[in-house]
Amino acid sequence: MIKQGDKAAIEKIFSQEEVIAYAKSSNDNNPVHFDPDYAEKTPFAKPIVHGMLAASLFGGLLGSDLPGKGTIHLGQELKFIKPVMVGEKVLATIEVTHIREDKPVFTFDCILTKEDGSVAIQGTAVVIFRGEVFK
Amino acid sequence: MIKQGDKAAIEKIFSQEEVIAYAKSSNDNNPVHFDPDYAEKTPFAKPIVHGMLAASLFGGLLGSDLPGKGTIHLGQELKFIKPVMVGEKVLATIEVTHIREDKPVFTFDCILTKEDGSVAIQGTAVVIFRGEVFK
């Protein structure tokens, strides 16, 4: 039984290969994501992960872990606060903050932190859990 | 000069291979995204694209087209209204709805439509354009 305060978390290092695959798939071909020479001339200095790709970890936690299989993503809000570098280890955490009484609709706080503990992405997710249909 | 009402759009068909790559990268391994036998038993009947992957097209438009290179994603809100099927053609459109007077911060409406014209994803994006730094 899922209750308020329940958490799930995952660590991840996005590789340059993953970022390139995402750039192609999303057509987001900004060289700041994969060209070290270009990135060096920007304030980021090194290639950065697309914010939406870094935020994909929240969907992964929701769909695979909490609530898990049978989760349907209804809404997502994201604030991109700091860049995530390619090859940098980050920690994505989700926490149940609200459960509707009439149906299995859950609201989650979503936070992606860097190794120094600072927040890179902050947001909220709303999902409905249809575990009875999606077995 | 970007002005209110400016639009950009892109058509896309997400392949099963792209969806599998995204599932691995995000750790969102729900079989509804890649297992036809499993998907057949769900209300979706066929494999569906991760909502956040379909929404990646908005980031692609922002970063590659409008405003284009030099865009930094500050925030994104998304409502997932209808599923996007693997192999289905969708159209992502962004439109400038607000421009801050004091700095180049733009708000966009983001809409992903299906071939029948119905809306699959609706949202808003906020970006800052740093074209003077990111050349």
Side-chain angles (χ1 to χ4, degrees), chain A residues 37-74:
Chain A
D37 293 337
Y38 174 80
E40 201 178 4
K41 293 177 208 147
T42 74
F44 299 131
K46 290 192 292 183
I48 61 168
V49 179
H50 303 76
M52 287 283 285
L53 174 58
S56 71
L57 295 175
F58 302 133
L61 287 167
L62 295 162
S64 300
D65 198 346
L66 180 72
K69 204 166 81 171
T71 297
I72 299 173
H73 212 160
L74 298 179

Short mmCIF file of all heavy atoms in Angstrom, two decimals, chain A residues 37-74:
data_model
loop_
_atom_site.label_atom_id
_atom_site.label_comp_id
_atom_site.label_asym_id
_atom_site.label_seq_id
_atom_site.Cartn_x
_atom_site.Cartn_y
_atom_site.Cartn_z
N ASP A 37 34.54 20.85 -28.16
CA ASP A 37 35.16 22.11 -28.56
C ASP A 37 34.16 23.26 -28.45
O ASP A 37 34.48 24.35 -28.00
CB ASP A 37 35.69 22.02 -30.00
CG ASP A 37 36.84 21.04 -30.12
OD1 ASP A 37 37.49 20.79 -29.08
OD2 ASP A 37 37.07 20.52 -31.22
N TYR A 38 32.93 22.99 -28.89
CA TYR A 38 31.89 24.01 -28.79
C TYR A 38 31.54 24.28 -27.32
O TYR A 38 31.45 25.43 -26.89
CB TYR A 38 30.64 23.57 -29.56
CG TYR A 38 29.49 24.52 -29.39
CD1 TYR A 38 29.41 25.71 -30.12
CD2 TYR A 38 28.48 24.27 -28.45
CE1 TYR A 38 28.38 26.60 -29.92
CE2 TYR A 38 27.44 25.15 -28.26
CZ TYR A 38 27.39 26.31 -29.00
OH TYR A 38 26.36 27.19 -28.81
N ALA A 39 31.35 23.19 -26.57
CA ALA A 39 30.95 23.34 -25.16
C ALA A 39 31.98 24.14 -24.37
O ALA A 39 31.63 24.92 -23.48
CB ALA A 39 30.73 21.97 -24.52
N GLU A 40 33.25 23.99 -24.76
CA GLU A 40 34.33 24.69 -24.05
C GLU A 40 34.18 26.21 -24.16
O GLU A 40 34.63 26.95 -23.28
CB GLU A 40 35.68 24.25 -24.64
CG GLU A 40 36.84 24.50 -23.71
CD GLU A 40 38.17 24.01 -24.29
OE1 GLU A 40 38.18 23.53 -25.45
OE2 GLU A 40 39.18 24.11 -23.58
N LYS A 41 33.54 26.66 -25.23
CA LYS A 41 33.38 28.11 -25.44
C LYS A 41 32.14 28.66 -24.75
O LYS A 41 31.86 29.85 -24.83
CB LYS A 41 33.31 28.40 -26.95
CG LYS A 41 34.61 28.12 -27.68
CD LYS A 41 34.43 28.36 -29.19
CE LYS A 41 35.37 27.49 -29.99
NZ LYS A 41 34.82 27.05 -31.28
N THR A 42 31.35 27.78 -24.13
CA THR A 42 30.14 28.22 -23.43
C THR A 42 30.41 28.26 -21.92
O THR A 42 31.42 27.72 -21.46
CB THR A 42 28.96 27.23 -23.68
OG1 THR A 42 29.19 26.04 -22.91
CG2 THR A 42 28.81 26.88 -25.15
N PRO A 43 29.53 28.88 -21.16
CA PRO A 43 29.72 28.90 -19.69
C PRO A 43 29.73 27.51 -19.06
O PRO A 43 30.18 27.34 -17.93
CB PRO A 43 28.53 29.71 -19.20
CG PRO A 43 28.11 30.55 -20.37
CD PRO A 43 28.39 29.71 -21.58
N PHE A 44 29.23 26.49 -19.79
CA PHE A 44 29.18 25.14 -19.21
C PHE A 44 30.54 24.43 -19.26
O PHE A 44 30.78 23.51 -18.50
CB PHE A 44 28.13 24.29 -19.93
CG PHE A 44 26.74 24.84 -19.80
CD1 PHE A 44 25.92 24.99 -20.92
CD2 PHE A 44 26.24 25.24 -18.58
CE1 PHE A 44 24.63 25.50 -20.81
CE2 PHE A 44 24.96 25.76 -18.45
CZ PHE A 44 24.16 25.90 -19.57
N ALA A 45 31.39 24.84 -20.22
CA ALA A 45 32.76 24.33 -20.36
C ALA A 45 32.83 22.89 -20.88
O ALA A 45 33.77 22.53 -21.59
CB ALA A 45 33.56 24.46 -19.07
N LYS A 46 31.86 22.06 -20.52
CA LYS A 46 31.86 20.66 -20.99
C LYS A 46 30.45 20.30 -21.47
O LYS A 46 29.47 20.96 -21.11
CB LYS A 46 32.28 19.72 -19.85
CG LYS A 46 33.75 19.85 -19.48
CD LYS A 46 34.22 18.72 -18.58
CE LYS A 46 33.59 18.79 -17.20
NZ LYS A 46 34.10 17.74 -16.30
N PRO A 47 30.33 19.23 -22.29
CA PRO A 47 29.00 18.84 -22.79
C PRO A 47 28.01 18.55 -21.66
O PRO A 47 28.38 17.94 -20.64
CB PRO A 47 29.29 17.57 -23.61
CG PRO A 47 30.70 17.75 -24.08
CD PRO A 47 31.40 18.42 -22.92
N ILE A 48 26.80 19.03 -21.84
CA ILE A 48 25.76 18.83 -20.83
C ILE A 48 24.65 17.93 -21.36
O ILE A 48 24.38 17.88 -22.56
CB ILE A 48 25.16 20.18 -20.35
CG1 ILE A 48 24.50 20.94 -21.53
CG2 ILE A 48 26.22 21.05 -19.70
CD1 ILE A 48 23.65 22.11 -21.08
N VAL A 49 24.02 17.24 -20.43
CA VAL A 49 22.88 16.36 -20.73
C VAL A 49 21.65 17.24 -20.98
O VAL A 49 21.45 18.24 -20.28
CB VAL A 49 22.62 15.41 -19.54
CG1 VAL A 49 21.42 14.49 -19.81
CG2 VAL A 49 23.87 14.60 -19.22
N HIS A 50 20.83 16.89 -21.98
CA HIS A 50 19.56 17.58 -22.17
C HIS A 50 18.77 17.50 -20.86
O HIS A 50 18.64 16.41 -20.28
CB HIS A 50 18.72 16.90 -23.26
CG HIS A 50 19.39 16.79 -24.60
ND1 HIS A 50 20.36 15.87 -24.86
CD2 HIS A 50 19.21 17.49 -25.74
CE1 HIS A 50 20.75 16.00 -26.13
NE2 HIS A 50 20.07 16.97 -26.68
N GLY A 51 18.20 18.63 -20.44
CA GLY A 51 17.44 18.63 -19.18
C GLY A 51 16.33 17.60 -19.18
O GLY A 51 16.11 16.90 -18.18
N MET A 52 15.65 17.48 -20.32
CA MET A 52 14.53 16.54 -20.39
C MET A 52 15.01 15.09 -20.35
O MET A 52 14.26 14.20 -19.93
CB MET A 52 13.71 16.79 -21.66
CG MET A 52 12.88 18.05 -21.62
SD MET A 52 11.38 17.86 -20.62
CE MET A 52 10.38 16.87 -21.76
N LEU A 53 16.24 14.84 -20.80
CA LEU A 53 16.78 13.47 -20.71
C LEU A 53 17.13 13.17 -19.25
O LEU A 53 16.82 12.08 -18.75
CB LEU A 53 18.02 13.32 -21.61
CG LEU A 53 18.76 11.99 -21.49
CD1 LEU A 53 17.86 10.80 -21.81
CD2 LEU A 53 19.99 11.97 -22.41
N ALA A 54 17.75 14.12 -18.57
CA ALA A 54 18.05 13.90 -17.15
C ALA A 54 16.76 13.65 -16.37
O ALA A 54 16.69 12.77 -15.50
CB ALA A 54 18.81 15.11 -16.59
N ALA A 55 15.72 14.39 -16.74
CA ALA A 55 14.42 14.25 -16.05
C ALA A 55 13.73 12.93 -16.38
O ALA A 55 12.77 12.55 -15.70
CB ALA A 55 13.51 15.42 -16.42
N SER A 56 14.21 12.23 -17.39
CA SER A 56 13.61 10.94 -17.75
C SER A 56 13.73 9.94 -16.60
O SER A 56 12.96 8.98 -16.53
CB SER A 56 14.27 10.37 -19.00
OG SER A 56 15.60 9.92 -18.72
N LEU A 57 14.69 10.16 -15.71
CA LEU A 57 14.86 9.26 -14.57
C LEU A 57 13.63 9.25 -13.67
O LEU A 57 13.33 8.23 -13.04
CB LEU A 57 16.10 9.65 -13.75
CG LEU A 57 17.44 9.50 -14.49
CD1 LEU A 57 18.56 10.03 -13.60
CD2 LEU A 57 17.71 8.05 -14.87
N PHE A 58 12.91 10.38 -13.61
CA PHE A 58 11.69 10.40 -12.80
C PHE A 58 10.66 9.43 -13.37
O PHE A 58 10.03 8.67 -12.65
CB PHE A 58 11.11 11.82 -12.72
CG PHE A 58 12.07 12.84 -12.16
CD1 PHE A 58 12.26 14.06 -12.78
CD2 PHE A 58 12.78 12.58 -10.99
CE1 PHE A 58 13.13 15.00 -12.26
CE2 PHE A 58 13.67 13.52 -10.46
CZ PHE A 58 13.83 14.74 -11.10
N GLY A 59 10.50 9.48 -14.69
CA GLY A 59 9.58 8.54 -15.35
C GLY A 59 10.00 7.11 -15.13
O GLY A 59 9.16 6.22 -14.94
N GLY A 60 11.31 6.88 -15.14
CA GLY A 60 11.82 5.53 -14.91
C GLY A 60 11.47 5.03 -13.52
O GLY A 60 11.02 3.89 -13.35
N LEU A 61 11.63 5.88 -12.52
CA LEU A 61 11.29 5.49 -11.14
C LEU A 61 9.79 5.23 -11.01
O LEU A 61 9.37 4.25 -10.38
CB LEU A 61 11.71 6.59 -10.16
CG LEU A 61 13.22 6.72 -9.92
CD1 LEU A 61 13.53 8.03 -9.19
CD2 LEU A 61 13.73 5.53 -9.11
N LEU A 62 9.00 6.11 -11.60
CA LEU A 62 7.53 5.98 -11.50
C LEU A 62 7.06 4.70 -12.18
O LEU A 62 6.24 3.95 -11.63
CB LEU A 62 6.84 7.19 -12.15
CG LEU A 62 7.09 8.55 -11.47
CD1 LEU A 62 6.73 9.69 -12.42
CD2 LEU A 62 6.29 8.65 -10.17
N GLY A 63 7.59 4.43 -13.38
CA GLY A 63 7.10 3.30 -14.17
C GLY A 63 7.67 1.96 -13.76
O GLY A 63 7.05 0.92 -13.97
N SER A 64 8.87 1.98 -13.16
CA SER A 64 9.53 0.71 -12.84
C SER A 64 9.53 0.39 -11.35
O SER A 64 9.78 -0.74 -10.96
CB SER A 64 11.00 0.73 -13.31
OG SER A 64 11.07 0.92 -14.69
N ASP A 65 9.29 1.38 -10.51
CA ASP A 65 9.57 1.19 -9.08
C ASP A 65 8.39 1.62 -8.20
O ASP A 65 7.81 0.81 -7.46
CB ASP A 65 10.83 2.01 -8.77
CG ASP A 65 11.49 1.60 -7.47
OD1 ASP A 65 10.84 0.88 -6.68
OD2 ASP A 65 12.63 2.00 -7.21
N LEU A 66 8.01 2.87 -8.25
CA LEU A 66 6.98 3.42 -7.36
C LEU A 66 6.07 4.36 -8.14
O LEU A 66 6.54 5.42 -8.52
CB LEU A 66 7.67 4.15 -6.19
CG LEU A 66 6.76 4.80 -5.14
CD1 LEU A 66 6.12 3.72 -4.27
CD2 LEU A 66 7.56 5.76 -4.26
N PRO A 67 4.83 4.03 -8.44
CA PRO A 67 4.13 2.80 -8.09
C PRO A 67 4.60 1.56 -8.86
O PRO A 67 4.34 0.46 -8.43
CB PRO A 67 2.67 3.10 -8.46
CG PRO A 67 2.57 4.57 -8.59
CD PRO A 67 3.92 5.04 -9.01
N GLY A 68 5.29 1.70 -10.01
CA GLY A 68 5.76 0.56 -10.79
C GLY A 68 4.86 0.25 -11.98
O GLY A 68 4.08 1.10 -12.42
N LYS A 69 4.99 -0.97 -12.48
CA LYS A 69 4.26 -1.38 -13.69
C LYS A 69 2.77 -1.14 -13.52
O LYS A 69 2.19 -1.58 -12.52
CB LYS A 69 4.55 -2.86 -13.96
CG LYS A 69 4.37 -3.25 -15.40
CD LYS A 69 4.98 -4.61 -15.69
CE LYS A 69 4.09 -5.74 -15.27
NZ LYS A 69 4.59 -7.05 -15.75
N GLY A 70 2.16 -0.47 -14.49
CA GLY A 70 0.75 -0.13 -14.38
C GLY A 70 0.56 1.36 -14.11
O GLY A 70 -0.56 1.83 -13.94
N THR A 71 1.68 2.09 -14.06
CA THR A 71 1.63 3.54 -13.83
C THR A 71 1.42 4.27 -15.15
O THR A 71 2.08 3.97 -16.14
CB THR A 71 2.96 4.02 -13.21
OG1 THR A 71 3.11 3.39 -11.94
CG2 THR A 71 2.99 5.53 -13.05
N ILE A 72 0.50 5.22 -15.14
CA ILE A 72 0.31 6.07 -16.32
C ILE A 72 0.62 7.51 -15.91
O ILE A 72 0.07 8.04 -14.95
CB ILE A 72 -1.14 5.96 -16.85
CG1 ILE A 72 -1.40 4.52 -17.28
CG2 ILE A 72 -1.36 6.91 -18.01
CD1 ILE A 72 -2.84 4.25 -17.65
N HIS A 73 1.54 8.08 -16.65
CA HIS A 73 2.02 9.44 -16.39
C HIS A 73 0.95 10.42 -16.85
O HIS A 73 0.59 10.45 -18.02
CB HIS A 73 3.30 9.64 -17.21
CG HIS A 73 4.31 10.55 -16.60
ND1 HIS A 73 5.63 10.52 -16.98
CD2 HIS A 73 4.22 11.53 -15.67
CE1 HIS A 73 6.31 11.43 -16.30
NE2 HIS A 73 5.48 12.06 -15.50
N LEU A 74 0.42 11.21 -15.93
CA LEU A 74 -0.62 12.19 -16.30
C LEU A 74 -0.04 13.59 -16.47
O LEU A 74 -0.51 14.34 -17.33
CB LEU A 74 -1.71 12.23 -15.22
CG LEU A 74 -2.48 10.95 -14.97
CD1 LEU A 74 -3.51 11.17 -13.86
CD2 LEU A 74 -3.20 10.50 -16.24
#
